[in-house]
């Protein structure tokens, strides 16, 4: 028997590949299925089942393309109602893969169809659980995504999740390995550990959610501090439940090179968003007016989902040459399939054509320290928890994920400084501000990490972030 965790850092997502004898199973596959097909071919095994722990909200699963290419059936837990052919398993139903078994444990709460899969090895020993978004390392799945107005509340779901954990997970042996669907950085939880694999006994000892004295306390603690989920989550659920275009078709449409001469008119004709995926360092030096910068080398896909929101919005790309396929793949992971093409020759081609360009004024932390005055206005776009832990005295907390709510409140007649932790998020914010006609600001390279090193600026006392979430 072989169990492999296939972890994707930018989504903080774990898919799982299980092999026994000449058969395999895959749990929660990502949108691009070639890596799985390559593994199956290398191991000379047949994919018998594709297991889905629930209808994912933060990414588009590869279940449909993988099933189409391998003819393996898709399996969901009880109560799931997909709009395509699938096996809807019963609680405690057993599926055999080679000499091992996978037992269905219905664990509703994160969503009503949420299911944990229990792996039983060749000797009949319960070995591992694949918990999806039911149980994370250090946390549990947020119970506010599947609530329905007037019927099921987040408090109801939290209570259901408590019952699932107490009746299905806690009775299992401490030696069992826990394989969650997500790790630290995912928006599906609030307090996840950086590790991606653990044993259940350690989680029973250290996971705050598993150590509440009663259901009432569990509900209170699990719901405390939850921020609003990203707005694209609902669209991803709909795609996972209802179906989507083949990634092959998405790629064929998106890998369309557009000359600098045609790019501008193409954007105007289609109403496409110009998405510039170059690094913040390159973007600030020059970019196409109104382009939005979300750098590929960062939490690219989640920020696209959070800030662009509408997965059907047409997109035109400005990317470093040779990265276009990776960009389209990572966009597809969160459901953004409507890429119309990319700028051939990247930004250099645009600049060499003599067309209008724009730039963001950026200064070093040392230059900021010299320019800073007692009445200087500073906008900090980090998360609330980061800001609460430590910040420049009197800086305004304006988290990037809520920029659509506060951008209209900015007074462009008053100069301000803009920063995040390291420069990635502040350049995203800078590009959005520019697109809204707000230009009277200076962005700080290196963000708060660099600002602290100057030791010349007034900052609040440090508070451990774990106490501020």
């Amino acid at each position: 028997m072989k169990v492999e965790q296939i972890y994707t850092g930018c989504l903080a997502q774990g898919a799982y590949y299980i092999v026994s004898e000449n058969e395999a199973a895959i749990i929660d596959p990502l949108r691009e299925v070639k890596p799985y097909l390559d593994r199956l071919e290398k191991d000379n095994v047949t994919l018998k089942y594709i297991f889905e722990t629930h209808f994912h909200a933060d990414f588009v699963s590869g279940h449909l393309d993988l099933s189409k290419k391998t003819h393996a059936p898709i399996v969901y837990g009880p109560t799931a109602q997909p709009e395509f052919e699938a096996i809807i398993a019963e609680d405690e139903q057993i599926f055999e893969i080679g000499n091992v078994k996978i037992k269905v444990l219905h664990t509703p709460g994160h969503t009503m169809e949420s299911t944990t899969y229990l792996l039983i090895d060749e000797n009949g020993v319960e070995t591992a659980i694949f918990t999806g978004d039911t149980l994370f390392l250090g946390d549990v799945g947020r119970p506010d995504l599947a609530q329905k107005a007037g019927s099921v509340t987040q408090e109801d779901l939290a209570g259901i999740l408590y019952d699932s954990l107490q009746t299905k997970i806690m009775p299992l042996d401490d030696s069992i390995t826990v394989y969650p669907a997500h790790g630290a950085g995912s928006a599906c939880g609030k307090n996840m550990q950086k590790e991606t694999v653990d044993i259940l006994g350690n989680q029973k000892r250290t996971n705050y959610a598993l150590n509440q004295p009663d259901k009432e306390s569990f509900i209170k603690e699990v719901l405390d501090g939850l921020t609003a989920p990203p707005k694209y989550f609902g669209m991803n659920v709909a795609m996972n439940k209802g179906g989507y275009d083949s990634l092959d078709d998405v790629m064929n449409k998106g890998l369309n090179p557009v000359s600098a001469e045609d790019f501008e008119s193409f954007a105007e004709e289609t109403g496409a968003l110009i998405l510039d995926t170059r690094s913040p360092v390159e973007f600030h030096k020059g970019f196409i007016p109104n382009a939005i910068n979300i750098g590929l080398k960062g939490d690219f896909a989640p920020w696209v989902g959070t800030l662009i929101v509408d997965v059907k919005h047409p997109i035109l790309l400005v990317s470093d040459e040779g990265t276009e396929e990776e960009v389209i793949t990572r966009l597809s992971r969160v459901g953004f399939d409507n890429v119309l093409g990319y700028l051939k020759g990247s930004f250099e081609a645009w600049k060499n054509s003599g067309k209008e360009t724009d730039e963001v004024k950026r200064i070093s932390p040392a230059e900021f320290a010299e320019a800073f005055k007692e009445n200087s206005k500073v906008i900090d776009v980090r998360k609330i928890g980061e800001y609460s832990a430590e910040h420049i005295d009197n800086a305004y907390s304006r988290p990037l994920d809520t920029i659509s709510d506060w951008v209209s409140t900015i007074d462009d007649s008053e100069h301000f400084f803009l920063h995040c932790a390291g420069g990635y998020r502040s350049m995203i914010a800078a590009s959005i501000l520019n697109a809204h006609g707000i230009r009277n600001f200076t962005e700080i390279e290196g963000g708060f990490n660099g600002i602290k090193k100057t030791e010349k600026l007034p900052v609040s006392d440090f508070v451990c972030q774990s106490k501020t979430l």
Side-chain angles (χ1 to χ4, degrees):
M1 178 182 72
K2 177 175 75 171
V3 178
E4 180 184 358
Q5 181 186 68
I6 306 170
Y7 199 78
T8 304
C10 70
L11 289 176
Q13 189 269 345
Y16 297 93
Y17 175 65
I18 304 164
V19 173
S20 176
E21 295 296 308
N22 61 344
E23 294 181 332
I26 294 175
I27 299 175
D28 292 340
L30 273 188
R31 183 77 179 273
E32 65 273 21
V33 300
K34 188 176 185 302
Y36 311 122
L37 299 176
D38 290 344
R39 281 172 170 79
L40 294 166
E41 183 178 3
K42 179 182 177 182
D43 293 338
N44 193 27
V45 295
T46 300
L47 183 62
K48 191 171 183 181
Y49 296 110
I50 302 162
F51 291 100
E52 288 286 338
T53 56
H54 63 295
F55 294 121
H56 304 281
D58 60 313
F59 73 97
V60 178
S61 177
H63 54 305
L64 290 175
D65 277 357
L66 189 57
S67 180
K68 182 179 179 181
K69 291 177 183 291
T70 64
H71 305 293
I74 302 165
V75 180
Y76 281 95
T79 76
Q81 296 180 319
E83 297 173 19
F84 45 82
E85 186 176 350
I87 296 172
I88 308 303
E90 297 179 1
D91 192 23
E92 300 192 353
Q93 184 173 344
I94 299 290
F95 293 85
E96 296 184 355
I97 297 96
N99 291 330
V100 305
K101 296 180 175 67
I102 288 183
K103 184 177 181 179
V104 174
L105 302 178
H106 188 209
T107 50
H110 172 65
T111 64
M112 292 308 294
E113 79 283 353
S114 285
T115 296
T116 294
Y117 295 106
L118 172 64
L119 178 62
I120 304 170
D121 71 11
E122 301 92 332
N123 301 312
V125 177
E126 295 179 347
T127 303
I129 47 175
F130 304 89
T131 56
D133 286 19
T134 294
L135 175 64
F136 298 128
L137 305 189
D139 203 359
V140 292
R142 56 190 301 163
D144 61 331
L145 301 183
Q147 57 187 315
K148 297 179 181 178
S151 55
V152 180
T153 67
Q154 61 180 11
E155 287 78 15
D156 293 333
L157 286 165
I160 293 169
L161 179 57
Y162 176 84
D163 292 338
S164 293
L165 292 166
Q166 293 298 317
T167 61
K168 298 294 181 68
I169 304 297
M170 293 298 282
L172 297 173
D173 193 86
D174 287 2
S175 65
I176 284 178
T177 302
V178 179
Y179 290 114
H182 294 291
S186 169
C188 293
K190 62 179 180 179
N191 194 43
M192 297 185 218
Q193 297 169 356
K194 65 180 185 298
E195 295 81 10
T196 62
V197 179
D198 198 4
I199 60 170
L200 183 57
N202 190 50
Q203 286 303 303
K204 290 179 182 179
R205 290 188 294 272
T206 63
N207 191 318
Y208 81 96
L210 301 183
N211 283 280
Q212 298 303 315
D214 51 44
K215 183 187 287 192
E216 182 179 356
S217 299
F218 176 90
I219 293 171
K220 179 179 181 297
E221 289 299 320
V222 168
L223 295 178
D224 183 50
L226 279 181
T227 57
K231 295 178 181 178
Y232 75 99
F233 270 24
M235 298 182 191
N236 277 197
V237 169
M239 293 177 72
N240 282 318
K241 187 175 182 178
Y244 48 75
D245 292 336
S246 165
L247 181 58
D248 295 337
D249 294 337
V250 172
M251 194 65 68
N252 288 335
K253 181 177 73 173
L255 288 175
N256 170 35
V258 181
S259 68
E261 289 69 27
D262 295 335
F263 193 87
E264 186 173 34
S265 58
F266 195 18
E268 291 175 354
E269 290 168 6
T270 61
L273 172 78
I274 299 175
L275 178 61
D276 192 321
T277 67
R278 295 176 299 146
S279 72
V281 173
E282 293 303 316
F283 181 84
H284 98 88
K285 297 175 185 176
F287 57 91
I288 298 173
N290 298 318
I292 302 302
N293 174 237
I294 305 179
L296 184 62
K297 294 181 179 179
D299 291 335
F300 172 70
W303 277 119
V304 168
T306 298
L307 297 172
I308 301 178
V309 180
D310 183 2
V311 298
K312 295 181 179 181
H313 196 96
I315 295 172
L316 284 169
L317 299 175
V318 180
S319 301
D320 290 323
E321 291 187 273
T323 66
E324 297 87 3
E325 185 170 343
E326 181 185 357
V327 171
I328 296 169
T329 297
R330 290 175 66 175
L331 286 170
S332 74
R333 289 174 182 168
V334 287
F336 287 80
D337 291 353
N338 198 12
V339 177
L340 305 181
Y342 64 91
L343 178 60
K344 184 178 181 180
S346 192
F347 180 69
E348 286 301 310
W350 179 274
K351 186 170 66 174
N352 293 337
S353 72
K355 292 183 177 295
E356 181 184 358
T357 64
D358 205 344
E359 61 184 30
V360 170
K361 184 180 179 182
R362 176 177 244 202
I363 60 174
S364 69
E367 290 172 319
F368 172 54
E370 293 298 323
F372 182 83
K373 308 295 181 186
E374 188 175 339
N375 62 345
S376 293
K377 182 177 180 180
V378 179
I379 292 181
D380 183 336
V381 300
R382 295 176 300 160
K383 295 178 181 178
I384 291 174
E386 295 172 275
Y387 176 88
S388 299
E390 194 175 16
H391 59 266
I392 297 171
D393 284 349
N394 299 318
Y396 292 86
S397 175
R398 297 291 184 270
L400 175 59
D401 60 356
T402 62
I403 192 169
S404 61
D405 298 327
W406 57 260
V407 65
S408 62
T409 69
I410 299 297
D411 180 3
D412 195 43
S413 66
E414 182 182 9
H415 177 269
F416 60 93
F417 295 98
L418 181 73
H419 78 86
C420 63
Y424 181 83
R425 287 173 287 177
S426 56
M427 192 56 68
I428 297 175
S431 67
I432 294 172
L433 290 167
N434 263 292
H436 281 79
I438 299 167
R439 310 181 60 83
N440 191 14
F441 65 89
T442 304
E443 190 263 353
I444 304 166
E445 182 178 11
F448 195 73
N449 296 334
I451 290 168
K452 286 194 299 182
K453 294 176 183 178
T454 67
E455 299 182 351
K456 294 182 179 181
L457 294 159
V459 298
S460 65
D461 292 333
F462 176 75
V463 178
C464 178
Q465 286 193 49
S466 63
K467 297 178 181 179
T468 65
L469 292 175

